[in-house]
């Protein structure tokens, strides 16, 4: 086998009788290098965006969220739900109350969702770290305050430094529309803004956080009797899947228990589909570029047809001759793949360290550079893909041409 490898190396590195063969061999290896590096880089960028989105949602979404299987609200004071909040791995459990409303501020009107939260909501999510203007304050003395998403603040032209309140309209739960005065069918309340948060566009354009007691009074719910959800923060190191299973068993069929992934399941599925689509597109490009390898090995076999006959006459079997050229293909594939992995890793490291590639400075991104996260699984997947395609690209011309020049010899 050492002799076969020696001959294969000599064929790859030595000058061929036709210079075009050297050029095509170089091009085929360059194609493998570029495609491998592109696979690593693009998959790592998708990992970076995936991590970024998860980190953004984690500042608003709890580890576990319990909602009613039917209806909008439920009573949190049942024995099963109290048992859940007393579990050893539950660090914090917050009741929340949501409703769609209409906001008015300085003659600007926009629909929104108010979310009533307790005072320790920042401990549950860390939303106070996303405040861009003002502070995360739900009470100023005895006066309730609101924290508004960036998108809502934009649509309302909201300025937290002005002494103007936000007017909230919501249909009365027991109201009826009067032909004389339709406004009688709506509950109204006023609240002053204390801060503006910036998490993610979908959240920023939708939510305004208010004290849960204020939300209950506005929505005409009795004190502490109705909530939209119970949001749970798990202790560090807790197995989320096991905790979710136990909470589901305690809650029973009347409640839906979702982890952070399930709270935005469609978004994460779309992201995974996009990553898979990009992988398949780059794999197809790699398959196309492998035709260079087929051409390179085919021309090398033609160039070395006299050597093939000589080696066969000296007693080398047909399989050993095929192994020589197969090793030639492996040199191109493995060499190109390893170089591509190194280049891809170097570029990813450079982007992580220096932020070479910037996002659009005119956008509303929470980061300025493309995020990158390298994962060993992506490197292994890229290597297996390249070597698999390289194996086929080497096998086909070798099988075809050695049969032509050696016939049916053993």
């Amino acid at each position: 086998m050492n002799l076969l490898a020696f001959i294969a190396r000599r064929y790859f590195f030595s000058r061929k009788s036709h210079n075009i063969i050297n050029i095509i061999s170089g091009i085929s290896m360059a194609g493998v290098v570029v495609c491998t590096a592109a696979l690593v880089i693009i998959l790592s960028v998708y990992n970076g965006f995936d991590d970024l989105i998860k980190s953004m949602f984690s500042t608003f979404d709890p580890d576990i969220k319990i909602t009613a299987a039917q209806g909008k609200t439920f009573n949190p004071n049942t024995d099963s739900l109290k048992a859940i909040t007393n579990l050893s791995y539950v660090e914090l459990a917050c009741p929340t109350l949501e409703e769609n409303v209409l906001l008015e501020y300085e003659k600007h009107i926009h629909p929104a969702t108010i979310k009533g939260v307790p005072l320790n909501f920042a401990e549950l999510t860390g939303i106070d770290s996303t405040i861009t203007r003002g502070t995360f304050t739900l009470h100023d003395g005895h006066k309730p305050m609101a924290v508004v998403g960036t998108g809502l603040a934009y649509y309302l032209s909201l300025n937290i430094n002005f002494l103007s309140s936000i007017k909230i309209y919501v249909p009365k739960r027991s109201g009826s529309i009067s032909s004389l005065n339709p406004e009688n069918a709506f509950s109204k309340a006023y609240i002053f803004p204390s801060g503006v948060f910036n998490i993610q566009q979908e959240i920023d354009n939708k939510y305004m956080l208010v004290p849960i007691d204020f939300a209950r009074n506005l929505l005409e719910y009795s004190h502490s009797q109705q909530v939209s959800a119970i949001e749970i923060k798990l202790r560090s190191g807790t197995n989320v899947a096991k905790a979710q299973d136990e909470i589901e068993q305690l809650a029973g069929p009347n409640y839906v228990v979702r982890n952070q992934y399930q709270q935005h399941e469609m978004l994460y599925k779309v992201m995974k589909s996009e990553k898979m689509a990009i992988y398949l597109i780059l794999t197809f490009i790699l398959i196309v570029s492998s035709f260079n390898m087929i051409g390179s090995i085919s021309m090398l076999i033609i160039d070395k047809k006299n050597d093939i006959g000589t080696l066969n006459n000296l007693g080398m079997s047909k399989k050993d001759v095929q192994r020589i050229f197969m090793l030639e293909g492996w040199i191109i594939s493995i060499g190109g793949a390893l170089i591509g992995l190194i280049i891809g890793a170097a570029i990813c490291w450079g982007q992580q360290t220096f932020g070479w590639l910037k996002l659009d400075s005119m956008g509303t991104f929470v980061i300025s550079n493309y995020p990158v996260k390298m994962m060993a699984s992506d490197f292994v997947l890229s290597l297996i893909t390249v070597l698999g395609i390289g194996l086929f690209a080497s096998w086909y011309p070798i099988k075809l041409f050695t049969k032509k020049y050696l016939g049916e010899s053993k």
Side-chain angles (χ1 to χ4, degrees):
M1 190 64 181
N2 290 336
L3 175 63
L4 304 183
F6 173 78
I7 296 173
R9 287 197 303 271
R10 290 281 297 174
Y11 280 174
F12 180 77
F13 292 107
S14 63
R15 190 174 184 84
K16 283 73 172 178
S17 59
H18 296 86
N19 193 46
I20 188 65
I21 302 177
N22 296 83
I23 296 173
I24 294 177
S25 296
I27 291 173
S28 62
M29 177 171 274
V32 174
V33 170
V34 171
C35 288
T36 305
L39 269 172
V40 169
I41 293 168
I42 294 178
L43 293 178
S44 297
V45 170
Y46 264 91
N47 294 336
F49 275 112
D50 185 59
D51 259 21
L52 175 64
I53 290 175
K54 286 179 179 178
S55 66
M56 288 191 300
F57 279 127
S58 66
T59 60
F60 191 81
D61 296 326
D63 296 326
I64 298 291
K65 187 173 184 178
I66 304 173
T67 56
Q70 294 182 341
K72 295 174 66 174
T73 62
F74 59 92
N75 187 340
N77 298 316
T78 62
D79 292 338
S80 60
L81 295 180
K82 286 181 178 179
I84 291 171
T85 60
N86 292 325
L87 291 170
S88 60
Y89 50 76
V90 173
E91 182 173 336
L92 195 63
C94 292
T96 61
L97 181 61
E98 293 187 21
E99 186 58 83
N100 296 325
V101 299
L102 189 68
L103 303 180
E104 181 182 355
Y105 180 84
E106 295 287 340
K107 298 183 180 181
H108 297 278
I109 299 174
H110 195 77
T113 299
I114 61 166
K115 182 170 183 175
V117 298
L119 297 180
N120 60 352
F121 184 71
E123 299 176 26
L124 179 82
T125 59
I127 192 173
D128 52 337
S129 64
T130 68
I131 300 298
T132 57
R133 285 183 283 161
T135 59
F136 184 82
T137 304
L138 295 175
H139 277 285
D140 183 9
H142 296 290
K143 183 171 65 176
M145 306 291 287
V147 185
V148 186
T150 303
L152 277 180
Y154 170 79
Y155 293 127
L156 294 173
S157 297
L158 185 144
N159 191 323
I160 60 173
N161 297 318
F162 289 178
L163 297 177
S164 298
S165 62
I166 302 172
K167 192 173 184 179
I168 308 172
Y169 296 91
V170 62
K172 290 182 178 179
R173 296 179 62 228
S174 58
S176 59
I177 299 177
S178 169
S179 59
L180 297 176
N181 190 0
E183 282 194 14
N184 291 334
F186 292 86
S187 294
K188 298 181 286 290
Y190 297 86
I191 193 167
F192 286 89
S194 65
V196 176
F197 63 81
N198 183 9
I199 299 175
Q200 195 267 346
Q201 187 176 16
E202 180 184 347
I203 296 172
D204 299 339
N205 291 347
K206 178 180 179 181
Y207 281 101
M208 181 173 78
L209 303 182
V210 299
I212 191 167
D213 291 337
F214 174 87
R216 285 193 177 114
N217 290 333
L218 174 65
L219 301 175
E220 301 176 336
Y221 286 116
S222 59
H223 182 66
S224 74
Q225 292 302 309
Q226 294 297 320
V227 298
S228 300
I230 296 177
E231 303 190 2
I232 295 173
K233 178 181 180 181
L234 302 176
R235 296 189 185 278
S236 178
T238 302
N239 185 309
V240 177
K242 289 183 178 179
Q244 183 179 3
D245 288 342
E246 185 174 356
I247 290 172
E248 283 179 339
Q249 291 176 4
L250 286 172
N254 294 328
Y255 301 94
V256 177
V257 180
R258 295 186 178 93
N259 56 35
Q260 282 190 342
Y261 170 83
Q262 291 167 336
Q263 291 169 47
H264 300 279
E265 189 171 5
M266 184 57 66
L267 174 64
Y268 290 124
K269 283 183 177 180
V270 169
M271 289 185 63
K272 284 186 176 181
S273 299
E274 288 177 345
K275 183 177 179 180
M276 180 58 65
I278 289 295
Y279 166 74
L280 293 175
I281 290 170
L282 289 174
T283 301
F284 178 75
I285 294 172
L286 183 60
I287 292 172
V288 173
S289 69
S290 69
F291 284 102
N292 289 322
M293 189 186 302
I294 294 175
S296 172
I297 295 176
S298 299
M299 294 184 70
L300 178 64
I301 294 173
I302 294 171
D303 184 63
K304 302 298 182 182
K305 62 182 179 180
N306 293 330
D307 290 3
I308 293 173
T310 301
L311 292 172
N312 186 243
N313 292 333
L314 290 173
M316 185 173 287
S317 67
K318 177 181 177 181
K319 288 185 177 179
D320 284 340
V321 173
Q322 289 177 337
R323 288 193 186 103
I324 291 173
F325 294 103
M326 183 64 75
L327 289 170
E328 174 88 6
W330 277 105
I331 290 173
I332 296 174
S333 297
I334 296 175
L338 293 178
I339 295 171
L341 291 177
I342 293 171
I343 291 174
I347 292 174
C348 289
W349 175 83
Q351 178 65 17
Q352 285 178 329
T353 306
F354 304 107
W356 291 326
L357 194 58
K358 306 290 184 182
L359 289 165
D360 184 5
S361 60
M362 299 301 292
T364 57
F365 298 105
V366 296
I367 56 172
S368 57
N369 310 318
Y370 275 91
V372 172
K373 180 185 178 183
M374 290 182 282
M375 295 179 63
S377 58
D378 291 335
F379 282 77
V380 173
L381 178 63
S382 300
L383 184 61
I384 291 174
T385 302
V386 172
L387 295 184
I389 294 172
L391 175 64
F392 174 78
S394 303
W395 171 82
Y396 178 75
I398 291 169
K399 198 76 174 176
L400 180 66
F401 284 96
T402 53
K403 182 178 181 180
K404 177 180 178 180
Y405 293 126
L406 293 178
E408 300 300 326
S409 62
K410 302 296 183 183

